[in-house]
């Protein structure tokens, strides 16, 4: 068994740009905002000397590595672009963690960013380059479990609406979220249909944003200003395309199940519901969040409904999920999302999350799932 | 001996009530016409009729495919080759397009009879399909309908070919110039008197002379007609009574062009008994009369005409019909993009057009599309092709996508499991008026997915097997 990365690397700085329809900001503006907040948080005053390497994550067409190097003027050192669908941010983080654990670097900058709002469309791009596989829209892909799950567990659009209501509420408490508006279950149920059963409020918005983290070797973390947050585990796992997988059951997503198994093994977690105090999960659609409760073992298969009813995953619940409002209120600039979740978990573990603070949180999980979906990234952070 | 050994037809489910064309409401029972849906065209209808005809026949027996139409989506590119691929015919099947005239189906059918007469081992599939565009609001728009019909010609069929006779006539009666968007016609009375009436009379008389027979030898007439009145006048001039004449289906299907006489021939074949003779008459730039003798009743394809006539769904509005035919002003803008890549299409043609999946030789796991390594046992390059199009399957899950651009939203899509286990993500055809549930049985139909970049892009869709054939207007 490989030695692993547990406790070898610490987050010593975190930053996040404002998320939204940032018509007046370039990708470089957002990268600078996020990175310099992280520098300040870590007490880095000379990044040109102090940052050994950069791992960045971005999915939409951009200049990638050069975008980051040029905006921060970080030259004469490695800058790497990582892509892994919606798990891109988490995978850029993972690559940075591994590079330190491998002894290659001491201090690494992680930057996740994307700028989908420069494409001139309000939703995802529509692909017409093939005849097969259409509609090739995220809503159509992620709704594929709905019919089967609903019929099997007597769940409906009301349960999904409650997840949207929860996340909209949490988003009102997060200064950097895009949407700061409470909604009701009726608002969600009456909104225009996007892809059954997803109405408008079941879908994450499109937004621009950037997030950044400073990683350090744990043994050197005391040299930085902020409280260090330890990396307990990080996993990426791929699963067959649900559109051709011969034994897919349409009741949950395999990538999440695979990555959870790996990350819990790395972190030594046996009962995730007990071990984890706060979690950010990939609510690209409300159903994705619901299935994730079960895929990550927070409750039994089919039990999500009762936990939604009882408020288990609300801010005051047993395991608060998407404390900052999630993709629902931040939108989903793909490369930024995973890093934004790690930023939120860093704030939560240090006790810096303001009105949405979960008291006494010491272990936090973040989760992304992407593709059709085929890939998942999960990271677990801890304070001791 | 050359003969028909199987036949099939296809009438699209969508019907346009004729009053809608004039801006009047569609009352129940109003006359209507069959119209190809937004995801259908001449080629997809031909595939549907061809597969109806070939139900129960091993596809590999087909040596030649003759396709007749005046509305191929391509000016240069053979439709028969697409149809052959979609029907999983052999790569060495000889494919031919017959075009340029409403009489093309008669030409294709007689060519098939001649080919089999010359080489009795040969089997030829003849498919006629048309989806003609008339100018919006014109009288021709009231008249035209869409449909397809198919015949399998071999030396072993139950309906034998006696002979045929044709005449050619040069005139501007019905035509479409290469730059015309719509079919053009000269004044109706001229067209009927000097075109239709004279050419059909000459072709029928010529055939009877040739066979030394009389019209009373025939129990069934399948005759093209430009309109209901002219058709009735022609049949009474020929001296046949109504019971002997295949119903021309005006007000139900409409004048379906090249496929018109073939569709009526299908109707006659369904009714004809042993010993009876059928006279089929094709019109266009002249006329062709063709005589057939039934040695024993030949059963219809999988979906008899009655089923197809009753499986109907009225289109919502005249506007939605115009949009589905790209006759509205905005349609081209919506589809402005490069469309499918010719190289990707070339590589994927077995999967996309042929709907060929793969079965692992080691563990029997089936998958679509074929890939190199097995999902089940990870064996590499150990697959056998499995044609999926004629199989059935079931719905595993579904969604209704209102976001994806469509002229008839929402796009219903979902996962299907094909018998044998292959999983496929497919749009669902003709199902907007049907209640959806997991596990419902489906069949697979060939449809046009989009025409971005001006290139029609075809793929398969699922369709609920139990289409309730009852009145519905919510489509």
């Amino acid at each position: 068994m490989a030695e692993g990365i547990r406790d070898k690397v610490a987050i010593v700085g975190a930053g996040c740009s404002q998320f939204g329809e940032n018509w007046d900001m370039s990708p470089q503006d957002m990268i600078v905002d996020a990175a310099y907040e992280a520098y300040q948080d870590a007490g880095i005053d000379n990044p040109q000397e102090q940052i050994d390497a950069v791992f960045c994550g971005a999915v939409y067409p951009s200049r990638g590595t050069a975008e980051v190097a040029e905006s921060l003027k970080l030259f004469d050192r490695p800058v790497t672009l990582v892509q892994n669908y919606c798990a891109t941010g988490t995978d850029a983080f993972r690559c940075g963690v591994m590079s330190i654990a491998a002894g290659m670097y001491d201090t690494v900058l992680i930057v996740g960013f994307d700028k989908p709002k420069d494409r001139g469309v309000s939703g995802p791009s529509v692909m017409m380059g093939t005849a097969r596989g259409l509609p090739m829209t995220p809503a159509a892909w992620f709704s594929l479990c709905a019919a089967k799950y609903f019929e099997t567990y007597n769940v409906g659009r009301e349960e999904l609406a409650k997840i949207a209501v929860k996340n909209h509420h949490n988003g009102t408490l997060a200064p950097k979220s895009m949407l700061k508006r409470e909604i009701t279950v009726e608002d969600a149920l009456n909104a225009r249909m996007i892809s059954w059963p997803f109405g408008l409020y079941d879908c994450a918005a499109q937004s621009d944003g950037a997030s950044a983290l400073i990683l350090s070797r744990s043994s050197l973390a005391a040299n930085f200003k902020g409280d260090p947050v330890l990396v307990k585990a990080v996993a990426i796992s791929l699963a067959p395309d649900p559109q051709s997988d011969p034994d897919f059951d349409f009741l949950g997503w395999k990538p999440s199940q695979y990555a959870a198994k790996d990350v819990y093994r790395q972190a030594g977690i046996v009962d995730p519901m007990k071990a984890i105090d706060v979690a950010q999960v990939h609510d690209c659609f409300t159903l994705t969040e619901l299935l994730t409760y079960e895929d990550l073992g927070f409750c039994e298969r089919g039990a999500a409904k009762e936990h939604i009813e009882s408020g288990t995953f609300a801010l005051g619940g047993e395991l608060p999920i998407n404390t900052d409002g999630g993709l629902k209120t931040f939108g989903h600039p793909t490369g930024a999302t995973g890093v934004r979740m790690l930023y939120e978990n860093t704030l939560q573990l240090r006790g810096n999350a303001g009105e949405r603070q979960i008291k006494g949180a010491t272990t936090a999980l973040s989760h992304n799932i992407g593709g059709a979906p085929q890939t998942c990234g999960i990271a677990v952070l801890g304070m001791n | 001996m050359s003969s028909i050994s199987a036949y099939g037809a296809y009438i699209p489910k969508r019907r346009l009530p004729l009053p809608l064309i004039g801006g009047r409401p569609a009352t129940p029972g109003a006359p209507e016409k069959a119209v190809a849906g937004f995801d259908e065209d001449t080629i997809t209808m031909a595939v549907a009729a061809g597969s109806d005809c070939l139900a129960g026949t091993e596809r590999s027996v087909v040596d030649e495919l003759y396709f007749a139409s005046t509305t191929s989506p391509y000016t240069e590119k053979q439709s028969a080759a697409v149809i052959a691929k979609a029907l999983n015919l052999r790569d060495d099947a000889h494919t031919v397009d017959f075009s340029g005239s409403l009489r093309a189906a008669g030409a294709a059918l007689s060519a098939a009879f001649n080919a089999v007469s010359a080489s009795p081992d040969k089997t030829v599939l003849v498919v006629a399909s048309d989806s003609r565009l008339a100018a919006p609001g014109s009288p021709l728009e009231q008249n035209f309908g869409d449909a397809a019909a198919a015949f399998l010609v071999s030396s072993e069929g139950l309906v034998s070919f006696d002979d045929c006779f044709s005449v050619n006539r040069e005139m501007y009666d019905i035509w479409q110039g290469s730059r015309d968007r719509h079919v053009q016609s000269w004044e109706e009375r001229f067209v009927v008197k000097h075109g239709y009436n004279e050419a059909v009379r000459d072709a029928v008389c010529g055939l009877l002379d040739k066979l030394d027979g009389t019209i009373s030898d025939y129990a069934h007439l399948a005759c093209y007609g430009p309109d209901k009145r002219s058709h009735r006048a022609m049949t009474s001039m020929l001296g046949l009574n109504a019971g002997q004449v295949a119903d021309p289906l005006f007000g139900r299907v409409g004048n379906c062009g090249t496929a018109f006489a073939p569709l009526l021939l299908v109707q006659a074949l369904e009714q004809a008994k042993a010993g009876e003779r059928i006279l089929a008459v094709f019109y266009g730039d002249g006329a062709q009369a063709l005589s057939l003798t039934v040695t024993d009743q030949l059963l219809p394809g999988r979906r008899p005409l009655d089923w197809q006539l009753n499986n109907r769904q009225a289109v919502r509005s005249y506007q939605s019909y115009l949009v589905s035919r790209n006759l509205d002003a905005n349609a081209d803008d919506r589809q402005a993009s490069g469309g499918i890549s010719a190289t990707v299409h070339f590589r994927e043609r077995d999967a996309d057009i042929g709907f060929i999946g793969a079965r692992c030789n080691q563990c029997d796991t089936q998958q679509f599309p074929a890939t190199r390594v097995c999902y089940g046992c990870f064996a590499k390059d150990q697959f056998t092709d499995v044609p999926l199009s004629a199989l059935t399957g079931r719905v595993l899950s579904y969604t209704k996508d209102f976001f994806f651009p469509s002229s008839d939203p929402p796009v219903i899509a979902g996962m299907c499991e094909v018998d044998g286990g292959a999983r496929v993500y497919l749009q669902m055809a003709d199902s907007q008026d049907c209640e959806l549930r997991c596990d419902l049985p489906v069949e697979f139909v060939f449809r046009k997915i989009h025409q971005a970049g001006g290139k029609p892009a075809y793929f398969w869709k699922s369709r609920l097997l139990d289409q309730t054939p009852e009145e519905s207007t919510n489509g």
Side-chain angles (χ1 to χ4, degrees), chain B residues 199-217:
Chain B
V200 168
R201 182 199 60 206
D202 292 352
V204 171
C205 291
L207 178 69
L208 294 177
D209 283 351
K210 199 173 169 189
L211 288 170
D212 198 18
T214 69
I215 195 75
S216 58
D217 298 339

Side-chain angles (χ1 to χ4, degrees), chain A residues 124 126 128-135 137 140 143-144 147-148 151 193-196 240 242-246 248 250, chain B residues 339-341 348 351-352 365 368-369 375 396-404 413 415 423 425 427 438 449-450 458-459:
Chain A
V126 170
M128 289 284 198
T130 62
R132 193 201 313 153
L134 301 179
T137 61
S143 62
L144 278 183
K148 186 71 179 179
E151 287 183 24
M193 193 56 78
I194 301 296
S195 193
W196 182 91
Q243 294 179 12
S244 42
D245 184 355
F248 187 66
F250 297 93
Chain B
I340 57 170
S341 155
E348 307 284 332
D352 289 358
T365 298
F368 178 89
Y375 275 115
L396 293 175
S397 191
Y398 59 87
T399 183
K400 299 173 185 175
D401 194 324
F402 291 80
F403 176 79
F404 194 74
M415 290 297 305
R423 302 283 184 93
Y425 178 66
Q427 294 180 29
C438 296
I449 303 299
H450 60 76
Y458 301 99
F459 186 48

